[in-house]
């Protein structure tokens, strides 16, 4: 699954760069704007969205199984109480998955028409941080927090999460402004209100999760001097 997410996150930027490079060589009379515009029109940018449906369903079920195994020693079977406890502990993640399934997928597939391919591609970039987040969880499970790999992975997690899940949103606003001749600060007032609301809902949990990652990183690096002193 880590390789699948990583390949999906890298595939579309790579495809875009390859198409742009190929068009510039094949059509030297075209402007850079023409080459970039044509390179974003690829059927996979729309059809890849279908990958999200089985993944989100699988991930929700996998999280439930993890919760069930953690509480199995309390003599709990698969019951409504176990499921309710799972929802309470993972409400933000479950809400995140539900919004993607029931809002973002229909919007990306049907409701947007032929608009917004560039922004859909940008949203795909958010998953670039997922392999590093998942690897960190695996290393914790294996009790490898003391290793160099865990520390390097932590730096990569913070870097990719900040770049691809938070700074991505002002970048999309800035890109739109460049196309329309607007400054970054002018864009929010020139686009539909629901676009700002949707972006607000998308970025809010990312900021929260990034704050948790920063706290974890701070605890990790604060513990290093203490161990050396010990």
């Amino acid at each position: 699954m880590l390789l699948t997410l990583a390949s999906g996150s890298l595939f579309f930027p790579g495809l875009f760069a390859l198409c742009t490079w190929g068009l510039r060589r094949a059509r030297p009379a075209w402007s850079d704007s023409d080459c970039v515009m044509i390179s974003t029109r690829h059927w996979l940018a729309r059809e890849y969205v279908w990958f999200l449906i089985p993944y989100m369903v699988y991930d929700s079920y996998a999280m439930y199984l993890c919760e069930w195994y953690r509480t199995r020693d309390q003599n709990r079977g698969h019951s409504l109480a176990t499921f309710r406890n799972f929802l309470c502990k993972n409400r933000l993640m479950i809400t995140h998955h539900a919004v993607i399934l029931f809002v973002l997928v229909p919007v990306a597939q049907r409701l947007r028409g032929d608009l917004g391919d560039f922004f859909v591609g940008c949203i795909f970039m958010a998953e670039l941080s997922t392999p590093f987040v998942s690897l960190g969880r695996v290393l914790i499970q294996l009790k490898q927090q003391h290793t160099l790999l865990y520390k390097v992975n932590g730096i990569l997690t913070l870097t990719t999460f900040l770049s691809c899940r938070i700074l991505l949103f002002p970048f999309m606003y800035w890109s739109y402004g460049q196309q329309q001749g607007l400054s970054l600060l002018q864009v929010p007032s020139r686009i539909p209100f629901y676009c700002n609301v949707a972006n607000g809902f998308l970025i809010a949990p990312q900021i929260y999760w990034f704050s948790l990652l920063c706290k974890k990183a701070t605890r990790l690096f604060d513990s290093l001097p203490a161990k050396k002193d010990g």
Side-chain angles (χ1 to χ4, degrees), residues 98-132:
V99 169
I100 289 177
L101 281 174
F102 300 113
V103 179
L104 290 186
V105 169
V107 168
Q109 270 293 325
R110 301 298 178 195
L111 300 181
R112 68 185 179 91
D114 292 328
L115 302 176
D117 281 356
F118 170 77
F119 301 105
V120 172
C122 286
I123 295 299
F124 286 152
M125 286 293 294
E127 294 303 329
L128 187 61
S129 64
T130 302
F132 303 109

Side-chain angles (χ1 to χ4, degrees), residues 11 174 214:
F11 175 78
W174 175 83
C214 289

Side-chain angles (χ1 to χ4, degrees), residues 4-228:
T4 302
L5 289 171
S7 61
S9 301
L10 296 174
F11 175 78
F12 288 98
L15 179 65
F16 169 75
L18 181 62
C19 290
T20 303
W21 176 81
L23 286 172
R24 282 173 175 164
R25 292 179 62 88
R27 295 289 187 270
W30 285 11
S31 67
D32 289 342
S33 176
D34 292 333
C35 293
V36 169
M37 184 65 66
I38 295 299
S39 298
T40 61
R41 312 297 300 182
H42 197 282
W43 64 270
L44 275 176
R46 180 181 296 274
E47 299 307 322
Y48 186 76
V49 174
W50 291 117
F51 171 80
L52 295 176
I53 298 176
Y55 171 71
M56 292 300 167
V57 173
Y58 146 78
D59 197 47
S60 299
Y61 180 65
M63 287 192 299
Y64 169 76
L65 280 183
C66 291
E67 177 65 24
W68 181 73
Y69 278 112
R70 276 196 296 266
T71 60
R72 191 171 57 171
D73 56 353
Q74 302 174 12
N75 296 321
R76 289 185 182 178
H78 293 285
S79 63
L80 182 60
T82 302
F83 185 69
R84 189 184 301 115
N85 186 59
F86 161 71
L87 292 179
C88 291
K89 287 187 175 181
N90 299 276
R91 62 171 66 91
L92 183 57
M93 185 63 74
I94 295 300
T95 302
H96 168 265
H97 284 24
V99 169
I100 289 177
L101 281 174
F102 300 113
V103 179
L104 290 186
V105 169
V107 168
Q109 270 293 325
R110 301 298 178 195
L111 300 181
R112 68 185 179 91
D114 292 328
L115 302 176
D117 281 356
F118 170 77
F119 301 105
V120 172
C122 286
I123 295 299
F124 286 152
M125 286 293 294
E127 294 303 329
L128 187 61
S129 64
T130 302
F132 303 109
V133 174
S134 300
L135 178 59
R137 297 290 297 178
V138 171
L139 292 174
I140 291 174
Q141 188 74 16
L142 297 176
K143 303 187 186 305
Q144 298 296 307
Q145 296 94 316
H146 62 284
T147 62
L148 177 62
L149 174 61
Y150 182 79
K151 297 176 178 63
V152 172
N153 183 72
I155 295 173
L156 292 173
T157 299
L158 290 174
T159 303
T160 55
F161 203 100
L162 176 63
S163 302
C164 300
R165 289 182 177 261
I166 297 178
L167 298 181
L168 175 72
F169 289 90
F171 169 74
M172 289 192 294
Y173 277 64
W174 175 83
S175 299
Y176 179 83
Q178 292 296 300
Q179 289 288 327
Q180 302 297 323
L182 303 172
S183 69
L184 176 62
L185 297 179
Q186 290 176 315
V187 172
S189 62
R190 301 294 183 88
I191 63 177
F193 177 72
Y194 63 82
C195 292
N196 292 315
V197 172
N199 285 325
F201 275 111
L202 287 173
I203 197 175
Q206 313 304 330
I207 293 175
Y208 171 72
W209 286 323
F210 183 70
S211 69
L212 295 182
L213 290 173
C214 289
K215 290 178 182 178
K216 183 184 294 186
T218 301
R219 289 196 300 268
L220 172 66
F221 288 102
D222 283 348
S223 66
L224 294 180
K227 289 182 179 179
K228 291 181 179 178

